[in-house]
């Protein structure tokens, strides 16, 4: 991937896409193709075709997606399956028709079966029932993976798939109705400062793995440069933590000193999601950012960009 190659970062204003954009720029890639959703709606085939015909991208990081936590997935299941299917189908098909050299599609660890053996290996995909709280999103992402593999077989394309674990970091979404657990906890503890009680969903017992978005971006570029396989590659740290422990860690970083109450009437989601990252490690990549350090810089970003500027739920510039 030459430094002057035309690289399309789809979804460059989201958590993942903005991190990939920063990482590419830091490495000297100067010909990035970036479009906001109001400029090109990836759900509309004609707009995608016009973009590809005009700009002729050579490499694609497909990070554009509709994402959210348990609450958002529960309330808007049709939006999650429709928007993601349309985005994926349009970009992947256009990449083939316009002779893109290589594409990285980003799936998600939450599309593995609900009760997977731990740690989760890539071959466990589609071996059991999905988690009900995010099934429409998961079905869409699985379709994207199979679409990449099908195009590789039929058309000889170089479409690869990364399977990120739970992501967080600067640029995250802190809207309590649509955010994931880590940014939601940061906001809840901050708004309860210094010592008001905080009520959290579920039992706190489920375990999750967390990868900083800057580590994810580094891994994505690494795979684009060094991986040619047809099978997905798990992208994570290889370590997990109970939500109860995560909450205490975030509470300490934020400086909150009040009590935590757990609302066990609310759903927990999948009991555990811990990825086997052997395939990724075999390519020569490993993470750099430890969880507490990552939470600290995410909270600093929250204070600087979100809280003070009133940008709750908005994407980074």
């Amino acid at each position: 991937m030459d430094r002057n190659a035309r690289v399309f970062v789809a979804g460059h204003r989201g958590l993942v896409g903005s991190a990939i954009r920063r990482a590419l720029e830091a490495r000297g890639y100067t010909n990035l193709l970036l479009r906001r959703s109001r400029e090109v709606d990836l759900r509309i085939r004609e707009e995608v075709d016009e973009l590809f015909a005009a700009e002729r991208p050579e490499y694609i990081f497909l990070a554009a997606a509709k994402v959210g936590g348990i609450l958002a997935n529960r309330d808007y299941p049709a939006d999650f399956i429709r928007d993601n299917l349309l985005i994926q189908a349009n970009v992947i098909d256009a990449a083939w028709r316009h002779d893109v050299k290589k594409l990285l599609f980003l799936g998600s660890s939450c599309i593995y079966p609900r009760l997977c053996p731990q740690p989760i290996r890539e071959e466990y995909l589609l071996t059991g029932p999905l988690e009900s709280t995010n099934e429409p999103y998961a079905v869409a992402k699985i379709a994207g993976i199979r679409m990449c593999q099908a195009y590789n077989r039929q058309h000889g394309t170089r479409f690869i798939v990364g399977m990120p674990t739970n992501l967080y970091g600067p640029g995250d979404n802190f809207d309590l109705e649509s955010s994931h657990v880590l940014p939601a906890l940061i906001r809840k503890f901050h708004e309860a400062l210094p010592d008001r009680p905080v009520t959290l969903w579920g039992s706190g017992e489920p375990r999750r793995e967390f990868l900083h978005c800057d580590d994810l971006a580094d891994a994505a570029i690494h795979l684009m440069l060094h991986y040619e396989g047809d099978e997905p590659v798990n992208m994570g740290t290889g370590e997990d933590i109970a939500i109860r422990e995560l909450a205490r860690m975030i509470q300490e970083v934020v400086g909150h000193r009040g009590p935590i109450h757990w609302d066990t009437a609310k759903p927990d989601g999948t009991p555990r999601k811990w990825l086997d990252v052997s395939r990724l490690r075999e390519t020569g990549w490993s993470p750099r950012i430890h969880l507490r350090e990552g939470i600290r810089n995410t909270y600093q970003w929250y204070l600087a960009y979100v809280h003070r500027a009133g940008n709750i739920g908005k994407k980074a510039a």
Side-chain angles (χ1 to χ4, degrees):
M1 191 164 67
D2 186 85
R3 292 294 192 278
N4 294 317
R6 296 184 299 278
V7 182
F8 178 32
V9 183
H12 77 283
R13 284 171 56 80
L15 172 66
V16 175
S18 61
I20 293 174
R21 183 203 70 211
R22 292 193 303 270
L24 287 168
E25 290 172 344
R27 287 162 173 77
Y29 289 92
T30 59
N31 200 3
L32 302 186
L33 175 57
L34 309 172
R35 292 291 186 275
R36 299 187 179 191
S37 57
R38 65 170 176 262
E39 296 173 299
V40 177
D41 189 337
L42 298 180
R43 298 172 299 179
I44 300 175
R45 178 185 174 92
E46 292 76 15
E47 294 191 18
V48 175
D49 277 347
E50 289 175 7
L51 173 68
F52 277 56
E55 301 293 345
R56 307 297 298 183
E58 297 173 85
Y59 298 88
I60 298 175
F61 291 88
L62 182 42
K66 183 176 182 61
V67 299
I70 291 176
L71 182 61
N73 276 273
R74 183 196 68 185
D75 291 345
Y76 306 106
D79 294 358
F80 277 91
I81 193 167
R82 179 198 63 219
D83 288 0
N84 285 301
L85 284 172
L86 289 171
I87 290 168
Q88 297 161 188
N90 290 337
V91 174
I92 292 169
D93 188 62
W96 162 61
R97 288 185 288 106
H98 292 274
D99 298 317
V100 166
K101 293 180 180 178
K102 195 171 184 181
L103 175 147
L104 170 62
F105 173 72
L106 291 171
S108 170
S109 63
C110 72
I111 72 177
Y112 284 113
R114 183 176 189 273
L115 299 177
C116 255
Q118 304 290 320
I120 302 171
R121 298 178 60 85
E122 290 89 351
E123 55 264 34
Y124 296 162
L125 187 65
L126 289 175
T127 58
L130 300 169
E131 165 58 40
S132 61
T133 57
N134 71 337
E135 186 178 66
Y137 171 81
V139 168
K141 282 293 185 179
I142 292 169
I145 294 169
R146 290 300 193 237
M147 189 172 183
C148 287
Q149 293 172 330
Y151 274 63
N152 289 344
R153 289 197 301 273
Q154 184 173 337
H155 300 300
T157 49
R158 295 167 65 204
F159 297 163
I160 62 174
V161 176
M163 299 284 275
T165 189
N166 300 284
L167 302 172
Y168 72 100
D172 215 335
N173 170 25
F174 293 84
D175 185 333
L176 296 180
E177 291 190 359
S178 58
S179 63
H180 289 102
V181 60
L182 195 151
L185 290 175
I186 287 177
R187 181 179 173 187
K188 284 189 174 186
F189 282 118
H190 177 80
E191 293 185 348
L193 286 173
D195 55 10
R196 293 194 303 277
V198 170
T199 299
L200 303 179
W201 276 33
S203 67
E205 298 306 319
R207 300 185 66 87
R208 294 291 184 270
E209 179 182 4
F210 295 93
L211 181 68
H212 193 281
C213 63
D214 288 341
D215 270 344
L216 180 279
D218 187 62
I221 296 171
H222 178 85
L223 288 177
M224 184 68 87
L225 296 174
H226 301 290
Y227 182 70
E228 296 293 339
D230 196 47
E231 295 304 315
V233 179
N234 285 339
M235 305 169 76
T237 64
E239 300 176 356
D240 67 353
I241 184 173
I243 297 301
R244 188 178 295 272
E245 296 174 45
L246 175 71
R248 285 196 290 266
M249 185 180 295
I250 292 174
Q251 184 182 35
E252 292 171 5
V253 169
V254 171
H256 178 265
R257 299 185 299 276
I260 300 175
H261 302 303
W262 294 92
D263 183 357
T264 56
K266 295 295 193 298
D268 271 335
T270 303
R272 192 177 192 187
K273 285 196 300 181
W274 173 36
L275 294 183
D276 183 317
V277 293
S278 301
R279 186 173 290 170
L280 179 60
R281 294 287 177 92
E282 287 169 1
T283 70
W285 186 89
S286 59
R288 298 175 293 106
I289 302 172
H290 295 291
L291 183 58
R292 186 179 292 272
E293 173 193 351
I295 291 171
R296 187 175 294 111
N297 73 39
T298 302
Y299 182 49
Q300 291 169 350
W301 185 88
Y302 170 84
L303 291 176
Y305 180 79
V306 182
H307 176 68
R308 291 175 186 170
N311 290 322
I312 297 293
K314 297 181 181 179
K315 295 178 180 177

